[in-house]
Amino acid sequence: MSSGTHKNWKPKTLPADPEATRQLQEWLTEEGYSLFGVGHDFRGADLSGGDFSNSWFTQAVLAGVRLAGAIFYRADLQSADLTGADLTGADLVRANLDGAVLRSARLDGADMINASLQGVDASGASFRGTQIMGASLFGVDMRGADLTNAVLFQNTFKVTVDDATVVRGLTGTVFGPITVFSGESSRELAGAELEAWIGERGGRVEVTAPGSLQQ
């Protein structure tokens, strides 16, 4: 991923906040440095298709921002607010999303290989057809999330789900356990129990022990 690939790209809509707009415009005119969007408010922007590889969006506000097809390879999105953001088809390979808010965000068809999601609120988010492979999902709230046809591969998958979480067509391998909420009660599922729970809902996932990783 080269740092100069964004030069022919322009945002469809700039952020409402003038400081975030200034930061974006400076980045577009300067060669060879990563966008420094730490703490900035990008609401109102359409940044679809932008290459934000290695950029810094730590604690940035990206709620409702259109980011379809954007590239966040190795980007830092730690504690960013992505509530309702459109990340359809985005490249989130090796992105750091620890502590981020993904409530009701759309990540359909996104590539999340080796991404880190620890302590993330992804309740009501859509992960339809998303590639979640070799990723670390630890303490992720996926209550009400849609994982239809998502593909998992050897992920740490310590997530919270409920009866509204959709796992139809979900395939692959994970390390459990997950916590299932039903009304006020919750239970932890791992191994064969977790496989059965997903299977009853139309998915087919193999739960493996971390020690059984194939080299």
Side-chain angles (χ1 to χ4, degrees):
M1 303 276 175
S2 72
S3 57
T5 53
H6 64 262
K7 299 308 168 194
N8 299 320
W9 172 86
K10 293 287 185 288
K12 291 185 176 70
T13 313
L14 289 164
D17 179 66
E19 187 55 35
T21 292
R22 186 186 64 79
Q23 201 74 23
L24 257 178
Q25 289 174 329
E26 271 186 22
W27 170 69
L28 285 165
T29 54
E30 293 287 330
E31 285 296 333
Y33 85 97
S34 301
L35 175 63
F36 192 77
V38 175
H40 285 306
D41 186 345
F42 291 91
R43 282 178 296 179
D46 184 343
L47 306 177
S48 299
D51 185 349
F52 302 104
S53 298
N54 299 300
S55 290
W56 297 84
F57 288 98
T58 318
Q59 296 181 329
V61 181
L62 294 150
V65 173
R66 284 186 53 79
L67 299 159
I71 300 170
F72 291 97
Y73 177 72
R74 287 190 182 276
D76 193 312
L77 292 146
Q78 197 167 188
S79 301
D81 182 359
L82 290 146
T83 304
D86 182 359
L87 288 145
T88 303
D91 177 346
L92 290 156
V93 175
R94 298 189 181 277
N96 179 3
L97 288 149
D98 293 351
V101 179
L102 289 167
R103 269 195 308 268
S104 304
R106 183 170 294 278
L107 296 109
D108 299 347
D111 188 345
M112 301 184 76
I113 293 172
N114 292 325
S116 181
L117 291 86
Q118 302 205 24
V120 170
D121 180 356
S123 54
S126 182
F127 295 92
R128 296 173 71 93
T130 305
Q131 306 277 323
I132 309 172
M133 306 169 84
S136 176
L137 282 76
F138 195 92
V140 179
D141 187 346
M142 286 188 151
R143 284 178 282 189
D146 186 350
L147 289 152
T148 300
N149 297 330
V151 180
L152 308 171
F153 182 73
Q154 294 181 339
N155 303 296
T156 302
F157 204 62
K158 294 189 176 179
V159 302
T160 302
V161 299
D162 63 9
D163 296 330
T165 304
V166 180
V167 293
R168 188 173 54 253
L170 180 67
T171 57
T173 56
V174 295
F175 314 130
I178 70 169
T179 302
V180 180
F181 274 85
S182 187
E184 294 298 308
S185 63
S186 68
R187 58 196 171 120
E188 200 170 83
L189 296 181
E193 273 191 320
L194 175 51
E195 288 178 6
W197 186 87
I198 292 171
E200 287 161 7
R201 287 157 179 79
R204 198 169 77 189
V205 167
E206 181 187 347
V207 180
T208 58
S212 66
L213 262 173
Q214 292 184 349
Q215 299 300 319

